[in-house]
Amino acid sequence: MWFRQWGPVTLDQPPQNTRARYNVCPTTTIDTIVERDAKRELVRMRWGLVPSWWSKPLKELKLATFNARAETVTTKPFFRSAFKRNRCLIPVSGYYEWQDTRGGKQPWYFTARDGSPALTVAGLWDEWHDKASGETLKSCTMIITEPNKFVAGVHDRMPVLLAEKDYEPWLSGAAGKELLKPAPDDLLQKWPVSKRVNSSRAADDDPTLIDRVAL
């Protein structure tokens, strides 16, 4: 799952300049929202979680950690500590999923049905210290769950999309796995887009990547 950023979430800090990106890939830097001392702030992180206990060089982390499955997020060693103490929100305008077809993988773009520019994905984050360089890296993961009926026609998973009322309990840790469920069937709309999205080398500032194409 790749996605398009950005969507607005209320912050307790001055506005920051952000640019629209239409092809955001794993291991790149993305915008997240964290809560500290009951205040929300934007923090840019690597998409692909590196747990604080990781002791090897980053290049040896071969596991794909950009998504965490809702069913196992509390038990998998890579995610369970972050689930307990480090929650985040990942605001997006939409996301891509790929459908297996006779002609290869066909990407579809999902966004809010009501035209709203904002979807908010439940995420986790952690902070890792690189012993070799001495640098500290903040990284995150998106939580994914089983699809609703609308998404199931294209893919067998979907991101956990939180309603505004769920932001605070998710960030504070007051809520748990009960929030990690499929979104309502009427939340999203979708359309097919160019297979150029299939390449991580496609320019991330190209708005035509989300244009509808004929199948």
Side-chain angles (χ1 to χ4, degrees), residues 83-133:
F83 182 84
K84 293 177 181 178
R85 57 186 172 82
N86 292 335
R87 310 278 187 81
C88 66
L89 304 175
I90 303 176
V92 304
S93 297
Y95 70 94
Y96 304 102
E97 290 290 12
W98 280 261
Q99 181 181 34
D100 289 324
T101 70
R102 291 182 179 179
K105 289 187 177 295
Q106 172 59 51
W108 290 76
Y109 180 63
F110 290 81
T111 189
R113 184 173 297 191
D114 64 4
S116 168
L119 296 171
T120 303
V121 182
L124 307 173
W125 69 278
D126 212 338
E127 192 170 84
W128 172 72
H129 182 70
D130 186 342
K131 295 178 181 178
S133 68

Side-chain angles (χ1 to χ4, degrees), residues 17 33 40 80 111 119 129:
N17 290 327
I33 306 298
R40 295 177 191 170
R80 61 191 180 193
T111 189
L119 296 171
H129 182 70

Side-chain angles (χ1 to χ4, degrees), residues 18-190:
T18 59
R19 67 182 182 89
R21 293 190 290 166
Y22 300 87
N23 195 28
V24 181
C25 309
T27 74
T28 58
T29 300
I30 66 172
D31 297 323
T32 73
I33 306 298
V34 301
E35 187 170 273
R36 296 172 178 166
D37 301 322
K39 294 185 177 181
R40 295 177 191 170
E41 60 181 282
L42 182 148
V43 180
R44 293 185 169 93
M45 302 186 189
R46 175 189 188 268
W47 183 22
L49 190 138
V50 184
S52 59
W53 49 260
W54 183 253
S55 59
K56 299 178 182 180
L58 183 58
K59 64 181 180 180
E60 294 187 30
L61 179 55
K62 304 300 184 181
L63 184 69
T65 60
F66 51 91
N67 290 336
R69 296 176 73 96
E71 297 87 343
T72 57
V73 70
T74 61
T75 58
K76 289 287 187 181
F78 268 76
F79 305 122
R80 61 191 180 193
S81 293
F83 182 84
K84 293 177 181 178
R85 57 186 172 82
N86 292 335
R87 310 278 187 81
C88 66
L89 304 175
I90 303 176
V92 304
S93 297
Y95 70 94
Y96 304 102
E97 290 290 12
W98 280 261
Q99 181 181 34
D100 289 324
T101 70
R102 291 182 179 179
K105 289 187 177 295
Q106 172 59 51
W108 290 76
Y109 180 63
F110 290 81
T111 189
R113 184 173 297 191
D114 64 4
S116 168
L119 296 171
T120 303
V121 182
L124 307 173
W125 69 278
D126 212 338
E127 192 170 84
W128 172 72
H129 182 70
D130 186 342
K131 295 178 181 178
S133 68
E135 297 179 350
T136 297
L137 176 70
K138 288 184 173 66
S139 60
C140 64
T141 186
M142 291 183 175
I143 301 180
I144 59 173
T145 188
E146 60 186 14
N148 59 26
K149 291 181 181 179
F150 180 75
V151 175
V154 171
H155 203 267
D156 63 356
R157 307 295 291 177
M158 71 178 298
V160 173
L161 301 173
L162 297 178
E164 187 172 357
K165 64 181 177 60
D166 298 325
Y167 297 170
E168 178 56 35
W170 174 252
L171 288 172
S172 68
K177 288 185 69 175
E178 69 274 11
L179 294 183
L180 308 183
K181 57 187 179 182
D185 289 329
D186 61 354
L187 178 67
L188 300 172
Q189 60 179 324
K190 68 178 186 292

